[in-house]
Structure formats: C-alpha cells, structure tokens
Amino acid sequence: MQHLDYPVWLRVEHWLNVLFLTLLVRSGIEIIATHPKLYWRDDSRPGTEWARFTRKTMPKDRLYDTLDEEEHYSSLVSLPGRRNLGMGRHWHFISVIGWILTGAAYYVLLFTTGQWRRYLPQDWSLFPTAWEDLLTYLSFDLPPLLPGEPLDALQKVAYGAVIFLLAPFQILTGAAQSPAIEARFPWYVRLWGGRQAARSLHFLGLVAFLAFIAAHLTMIVLWGWPELHALMIFGHVQDLDGAVWASMAVLAGIVAVHVAATVVSLRRPRTVQRALGAVVTPVRRTLLRPLRSTQAYPRREVSVEHRVNGKPPCSLRYKTMAVHGFVDWRLEVGGLVERPVALSLEDLRALGRPQTQQVLHNCVQGWSSIAQWGGVPLQTVLDLVKPLPEARFLCFLTMQDVGRDEPGAEGAGQFYEVIDLSLAKHPQCLLAYDMNGGPLPIKHGAPLRLRLETQVGFKMAKWIDRIEVVSDYAAIGHGMGGWREDNVFYDKDVEI
C-alpha cells in the first residue's frame, strides 16, 4: 500500500475546512433564528413542528405574522446575531461558495495523489473491524491502528462517511431549499420529501457535523494531541512544542476572523452587505437567475392554512376600499413606458382568462406553504404599457405604511420591492387577485400581490397600488432594492 503522509495541500485544506465549517454553522444559526421551528410537511402549519428553538407562544385572539415568531440569538453563537437575517444569509452563501471550492480542490487532490486510500475502505472486512473498534472504545480502551495507516478502522469509516457522504448530503439538501431550484425542479425537492423535510434533514446534517467534530477532537486527545497536531501543522513529529504553538496560532486566526466578521457586520452593515454581495450576487445570477418555475402541485396538496407574513395596511383609505370590495382601487403603471395606465380589478380580469398556478411559497425565514394563485401574467401588463428601451427594473409600491401598520418594525415608510425587468418574462410571474379559487384575502395582499416563484417571499409585494418602470433604483429608498433590504436585513448599525 502507498505510504500516506500529510502533504502541504492536505494540511492547508484541513484548516480552511475548519474556517468555512464554523462560519457555516454560525451563519446557519442566524438563519434558523428567524423561524426557529422545524417541520416535515410543506404547509409549515403552526403546531405541527417536530422541533422548536424558542419559548415564544403566539396569540390566538389576533392576527400575527411570522415576523412575530423571530428569535434574537446572541452573536456568541450566531453570525452576526441580533436578528440580521440578510447578513446571516450573505455570510452563509459566501461560506458555502468557499467550502464547495475548497472541497472540490480537496477531492481532485485526494484522487490525483492517492490520498483517497486514507479514507475509502478497500475491503469489506473493514466494517466488522470498525464495529469491534467501537466496542473497544466503549470499554474505555484504544483499538489498534490499521497496518501502515494512521487511523483505526472506525476512524477510517467515519472520516470516509463525512467526506464522501455527509458533506455532499449537506450541499444537496441546501440546494433543495433554493426557491429557484425548487421552482424549476420540483421533482428534486420531492426526492427529499418536500421543502420542509429538506430543511429538517439539513439541520440534522448540521447536528451530525457537530457530533463528528466533537468525536474528532476527542480522538485527537486520546491518541496524542501534540503528535497529531504536529502532523497537521508540519507533516512530521519532530517539533512537538512548535506544532502546539503553531496550531494555537492558526486557531487564534480563525477565531479572529469570526470576531472581525461579527463586529464589522454589526458596525458597518452596508459595507459588509456590498462586499459580500459583490461575490454572492453574480454567482446567484449566473446559476439561478436563468431558472424558470415549472411548478404544478396537485390540488390536494394545497395548504389548509397559509401562513401570513406582513400586516395589512390600516389606513382609512385602505379600509374604505376593502369594505367596498376595492371597486375604487386602481393599479397605476407608469414611469419609463409609452402608455401609462390605471387599471381596476375588472380591467385586470378583462385582460384575459386568469392564469392559475399551484405552487410552493418560500418565505425567506424558512417556512413554506402551498396555494393556488390566479391572476394576470405580469408580462401581459407590460405588453400593454410598452416599457421604453432604457427600462431595466420594476418598482412595486404598496399601500402598506411600515411603522404604522407594523408597530415596532425597523424603519418606517412605504413598503416597496424592486425586481429585474427580465424576471417579468418568467412564465409564472403573476399579478394575483385570486387565491385558492376565491378573491385574494386581505391578509395575503388584497386586492393585488406579486407572485414570482423563483424568488423568496418578501420579494412578492402585497397590497400593490402602483408599478413604476425605472432604469435604476439607487434613488429609491436607501437604494438597496427594497424596503426589507433597506431597513430589516442589513441596516442595523448597533453599539457593541
């Protein structure tokens, strides 16, 4: 058998893996804090969660939305902490990119240098030996190492399972939570039992990683911490003291990265948002933007109760229109168009037979629901108004006055969202006025809401009364492309 040493690339990959894994764990905790409940069914029905990480109980005598369910986790465990979902997602996505690139290089080097023999069993007899090793550990003794190898049979099986099974499992279940992938390849999500099952399995994979790390560290202590650290630092055991200090320096550097990431994210959120977005956004545009929704869920799978996110407008104008069935409401479409229009609900219905679609709603917080939506394709309205050549974006303005309609919400002002004009061409991009065979309910966005199935839920503006066609959105709000992007996900400068 080829001698398996500890080459430089293996040692570098080991510590990079530690960095990216710890960033993934902390940013993942930040993400789960926004909806700290896990389900197996896609309807995410309250009370059906199999795990919860919150003590909050929701009221039964008034309307609440999923924003009320968010938790506030400490920055000691989450990145960056303090209810910064957008920042946590950015850190998670950029860490995923780094981890996948590191893993791809690792796989290539493993198989081109013969180091794969360190982790992949080459004889079925290894598995009974691994069982015997487990029994030996449980008897508080150490089993023998495999001949010519630095591992015992149980360690070899465990490391091989983590590298070739658990790591890909996490990537695949993570991909099954992407709205664009779910919309384009609904069969793939079903392979995992649905969106919420994929989320639960992804969490269990995280727990498995944490258990492996704990066992790995225990094994290092049992088998000789100085010698093993020396191998992972220098590739030999000739300078044990130097290796200890060097490994402590590397660990200190990793901790310093976490501290810096947390502190800068909390103190300079816009700077970090732009810096991380410069990497994350092009990758997402390249890999996910071309995907178009092909969803067609069976009617029997429509959720009995569709969760609510965002509280309805409480202005007198809105309440008056609602009482009268929105007969006086008009959708104004203007800006960079040849023919501005003001359309009533009847006008929208007269644009053609309603398009219906039964699709999975993906909230950015993590919950999901399935509903049937009916309305007019956004492209039909754009064909009517004819955007000018310089038009690039659509700004959806709503009747929701955040701050007044949602007391205690971060920021104040009119809720808006911006999408690329190209997204309007997606076949399931819909201006919805019906839901589950009836008029769109007030709590879900009446009289009109956007459905854009390849995006997360907050981009699907509700209670819309105007669409502005623009060439740029830098002068709208804080210039970040939406009210939540402006006020909730990133703009939270705090003293720490």
Side-chain angles (χ1 to χ4, degrees):
M1 177 178 292
Q2 175 181 339
H3 175 66
L4 299 177
D5 57 1
Y6 289 81
V8 173
W9 67 263
L10 184 66
R11 288 175 266 146
V12 172
E13 288 264 356
H14 174 272
W15 294 110
L16 285 176
N17 195 47
V18 172
L19 172 63
F20 288 124
L21 268 179
T22 50
L23 288 172
L24 283 169
V25 169
R26 291 187 64 228
S27 57
I29 293 173
E30 179 69 33
I31 293 171
I32 201 171
T34 58
H35 193 74
K37 301 172 184 179
L38 296 171
Y39 312 85
W40 291 114
R41 294 177 56 86
D42 280 337
D43 58 8
S44 307
R45 186 162 51 88
T48 64
E49 62 270 14
W50 68 269
R52 53 187 290 128
F53 311 100
T54 176
R55 295 180 179 179
K56 285 185 176 180
T57 57
M58 294 296 104
K60 297 182 178 181
D61 58 345
R62 60 182 174 82
L63 177 68
Y64 70 90
D65 65 14
T66 53
L67 294 174
D68 297 320
E69 298 181 77
E70 290 185 345
E71 273 293 350
H72 184 294
Y73 289 169
S74 168
S75 295
L76 293 175
V77 295
S78 59
L79 175 64
R82 307 188 185 186
R83 293 178 65 183
N84 281 276
L85 173 59
M87 195 70 72
R89 283 166 58 86
H90 261 30
W91 276 113
H92 202 68
F93 294 151
I94 203 162
S95 299
V96 166
I97 293 171
W99 192 50
I100 289 177
L101 292 177
T102 298
Y106 185 70
Y107 282 167
V108 170
L109 290 168
L110 272 181
F111 287 99
T112 56
T113 63
Q115 289 284 339
W116 61 270
R117 295 181 177 88
R118 184 193 302 273
Y119 305 114
L120 282 180
Q122 292 142 64
D123 192 318
W124 287 107
S125 64
L126 184 73
F127 293 96
T129 305
W131 175 253
E132 294 172 3
D133 288 354
L134 176 60
L135 297 178
T136 302
Y137 278 118
L138 293 176
S139 65
F140 300 98
D141 201 355
L142 295 179
L145 297 178
L146 293 170
E149 297 195 42
L151 306 173
D152 61 51
L154 180 60
Q155 290 172 328
K156 185 165 186 169
V157 170
Y159 293 160
V162 168
I163 294 170
F164 298 107
L165 295 178
L166 183 56
F169 175 85
Q170 287 298 89
I171 294 171
L172 294 173
T173 53
Q177 297 175 70
S178 164
I181 292 176
E182 292 168 351
R184 177 62 183 85
F185 307 108
W187 59 266
Y188 176 72
V189 184
R190 292 180 183 276
L191 287 179
W192 300 101
R195 203 273 184 191
Q196 290 306 315
R199 182 171 179 255
S200 293
L201 291 171
H202 195 67
F203 172 80
L204 293 176
L206 166 64
V207 173
F209 255 116
L210 294 176
F212 170 77
I213 292 171
H216 177 63
L217 295 176
T218 302
M219 291 298 100
I220 290 176
V221 173
L222 292 176
W223 282 102
W225 187 74
E227 292 82 2
L228 292 176
H229 268 68
L231 287 172
M232 198 50 69
I233 292 293
F234 299 132
H236 56 72
V237 293
Q238 297 173 9
D239 186 3
L240 298 185
D241 291 339
V244 170
W245 286 108
S247 66
M248 295 300 290
V250 172
L251 291 172
I254 293 174
V255 171
V257 170
H258 278 269
V259 172
T262 303
V263 172
V264 176
S265 295
L266 293 176
R267 288 183 174 173
R268 302 287 298 276
R270 286 291 181 223
T271 301
V272 176
Q273 176 190 7
R274 290 188 174 94
L276 299 181
V279 178
V280 172
T281 301
V283 174
R284 294 171 66 181
R285 284 183 181 276
T286 301
L287 298 179
L288 301 179
R289 178 54 59 87
L291 301 181
R292 300 190 175 193
S293 179
T294 60
Q295 297 179 85
Y297 281 80
R299 189 72 175 87
R300 67 179 181 274
E301 294 188 19
V302 169
S303 303
V304 175
E305 179 180 352
H306 198 291
R307 280 184 171 274
V308 176
N309 199 345
K311 295 182 175 64
C314 60
S315 66
L316 180 60
R317 171 175 171 262
Y318 180 82
K319 291 180 178 179
T320 301
M321 284 193 298
V323 168
H324 293 90
F326 297 104
V327 294
D328 296 326
W329 169 88
R330 296 293 182 272
L331 171 68
E332 297 180 0
V333 186
L336 298 177
V337 299
E338 293 182 11
R339 183 191 173 199
V341 297
L343 304 171
S344 67
L345 274 176
E346 289 304 313
D347 294 332
L348 288 172
R349 293 182 182 275
L351 289 178
R353 183 177 179 180
Q355 175 178 312
T356 60
Q357 55 201 43
Q358 288 165 189
V359 293
L360 181 70
H361 177 90
N362 287 277
C363 180
V364 68
Q365 295 169 297
W367 58 268
S368 60
S369 290
I370 298 173
Q372 181 191 77
W373 306 95
V376 57
L378 180 54
Q379 184 62 58
T380 300
V381 175
L382 294 178
D383 290 341
L384 183 66
V385 300
K386 301 184 183 304
L388 298 176
E390 60 268 34
R392 293 181 56 210
F393 302 97
L394 300 178
C395 178
F396 294 84
L397 300 168
T398 78
M399 292 176 278
Q400 186 185 29
D401 185 349
V402 187
R404 179 183 64 183
D405 297 331
E406 293 190 14
E410 297 90 348
Q414 185 178 18
F415 187 97
Y416 78 97
E417 279 298 338
V418 174
I419 68 168
D420 288 5
L421 187 60
S422 62
L423 288 176
K425 299 178 182 179
H426 284 209
Q428 291 188 331
C429 181
L430 198 69
L431 291 175
Y433 45 70
D434 288 338
M435 180 180 180
N436 294 338
L440 184 65
I442 287 176
K443 64 182 181 180
H444 291 298
L448 194 70
R449 68 167 296 160
L450 176 66
R451 294 301 312 176
L452 187 55
E453 308 309 335
T454 60
Q455 304 295 303
V456 289
F458 75 86
K459 298 299 292 185
M460 306 181 206
K462 300 188 284 287
W463 309 293
I464 300 170
D465 67 349
R466 181 170 179 81
I467 302 175
E468 193 78 12
V469 183
V470 299
S471 60
D472 189 22
Y473 55 82
I476 303 175
H478 294 178
M480 304 310 297
W483 182 86
R484 287 186 185 252
E485 292 95 322
D486 286 347
N487 298 283
V488 178
F489 292 158
Y490 306 97
D491 192 16
K492 293 184 179 181
D493 301 86
V494 296
E495 294 295 329
I496 60 176

